[in-house]
Amino acid sequence: MAAHDHASGGHAHDHTKTANVKMLGWALGLTSTYLVAEVIGGFVFNSLALLSDAAHMMTDVAALIIALMAINLGRRAADDRRTFGYRRFEILAAAFNAILLFAIAIYVFVEAIKRFNNPEPVQSWGMLIVAAIGLVVNLISMRLLSAGKDASFNVKGAYLEVWADMIGSIGVIAGALVIKFTGWSWIDPIVAVAIGLWVLPRTWILLRDTTNVLLEGVPGGLSLGDVRSAIAGIAGVAGVHDLHVWSMSNDDTSCTVHVSLTSDANSDRVRRAVTTMIEERFDISHTTVQTEALGEDCGAAHGHA
């Protein structure tokens, strides 16, 4: 006795559909333009702090691109070649972003050590102007993204990235003012390192989470033991095995499980009970449940309900 039951709510439970693509596009255009300006300003005004902040600004650009990618690719239906669709592109882009940020952070730290040993003059006014423009760009981008951040996990992530970069811009402005009025050029590498230390823990979390998704690990916040115990507690369930919980992206969790039934259990009723419980208790709306008689070889049959 083998059967599968699928909850169809996962297709309707798409958080990206209501995201404002136009506002994301405007925010991406502003942020990308400023990113180029900040990199140029960092070299022209010899400011390592600006270059470090530019690295963080790059995470904003990547987050906005990922959000747009998730919306556009998420609309593409699965096909015979890619049966899970195209949402995994979002995770691949985020992982690449994290690796690139680590490389940039290493460069910034190495340059900071050199400047501690051999301080270089910094054009504080240019540094201040570029950072102030960056602060304005961050505030505008936050305003553009605020309307869609509660409707889309991806837009919310981009919003938080821009918010965090606003803190970096404030740090660069403060450093430029200190250098201007004190002449302490060693403040510049200190600010650069501080921004790097601010970014790296979040970059590590991003890399850790994307790696977990690519390895089809259990999503953060979920315990496989809790899911197993909850299924085992349903009337008619005699055993639980081959339980898998994974996600295709940051907000798309799936579950498959084989359930052994007691002798008096109704397979359809148990299947519906398991599916409903998993959706309501663990917020997993795409579930596949295979039921079988106690002691039955689960590989012997794979019929579909």
Side-chain angles (χ1 to χ4, degrees):
M1 181 189 341
H4 289 70
D5 190 28
H6 296 267
S8 60
H11 301 288
H13 193 62
D14 187 350
H15 297 281
T16 63
K17 288 183 179 179
T18 57
N20 195 322
V21 177
K22 184 177 180 180
M23 293 300 99
L24 276 170
W26 275 106
L28 177 59
L30 282 171
T31 307
S32 299
T33 301
Y34 176 68
L35 170 62
V36 174
E38 193 168 36
V39 171
I40 294 173
F43 285 108
V44 171
F45 302 122
N46 199 31
S47 172
L48 191 60
L50 279 178
L51 291 177
S52 182
D53 190 52
H56 191 191
M57 182 67 77
M58 190 177 68
T59 67
D60 301 350
V61 173
L64 291 166
I65 291 174
I66 289 169
L68 282 168
M69 185 185 303
I71 293 172
N72 293 324
L73 290 178
R75 291 172 176 169
R76 298 180 63 177
D79 53 38
D80 290 343
R81 183 176 179 82
R82 295 177 179 86
T83 58
F84 282 102
Y86 296 79
R87 298 195 67 187
R88 188 57 65 86
F89 274 113
E90 172 189 354
I91 303 302
L92 291 172
F96 176 77
N97 175 38
I99 293 172
L100 190 58
L101 272 173
F102 273 114
I104 293 174
I106 292 172
Y107 166 78
V108 170
F109 289 153
V110 170
E111 285 297 310
I113 292 173
K114 291 180 180 178
R115 293 199 181 192
F116 280 130
N117 296 327
N118 300 290
E120 297 183 14
V122 177
Q123 299 182 39
S124 56
W125 272 122
M127 177 180 171
L128 178 62
I129 292 171
V130 173
I133 294 173
L135 180 59
V136 173
V137 169
N138 286 324
L139 291 174
I140 294 174
S141 296
M142 287 174 64
R143 177 61 180 170
L144 290 172
L145 297 174
S146 62
K149 67 182 177 67
D150 294 326
S152 167
F153 286 141
N154 293 296
V155 176
K156 185 174 183 178
Y159 176 87
L160 292 175
E161 287 284 353
V162 174
W163 176 86
D165 192 64
M166 180 188 68
I167 304 298
S169 295
I170 293 174
V172 176
I173 291 173
L177 289 173
V178 171
I179 294 173
K180 177 62 182 176
F181 293 108
T182 66
W184 297 342
S185 59
W186 49 267
I187 291 294
D188 180 62
I190 287 180
V191 173
V193 171
I195 293 174
L197 293 176
W198 165 259
V199 174
L200 279 181
R202 298 166 61 250
T203 304
W204 167 250
I205 292 173
L206 177 63
L207 183 60
R208 181 197 65 191
D209 291 346
T210 53
T211 301
N212 186 59
V213 172
L214 292 173
L215 292 176
E216 297 188 348
V218 177
L222 284 175
S223 167
L224 200 66
D226 290 344
V227 177
R228 182 180 291 107
S229 297
I231 297 173
I234 293 178
V237 174
V240 179
H241 55 280
D242 290 340
L243 172 62
H244 301 279
V245 178
W246 75 99
S247 60
M248 290 299 298
S249 63
N250 65 329
D251 59 352
D252 181 18
T253 305
S254 300
C255 173
T256 62
V257 61
H258 290 197
V259 174
S260 299
L261 304 176
T262 59
S263 58
D264 58 343
N266 179 281
S267 61
D268 290 336
R269 187 177 297 116
V270 171
R271 213 163 46 244
R272 285 193 297 269
V274 171
T275 301
T276 300
M277 182 276 297
I278 290 177
E279 180 170 12
E280 292 178 351
R281 180 169 171 179
F282 300 101
D283 196 27
I284 301 174
S285 52
H286 187 270
T287 302
T288 302
V289 181
Q290 176 175 312
T291 58
E292 60 213 23
L294 186 62
E296 179 182 351
D297 182 4
C298 63
H302 292 279
H304 293 267

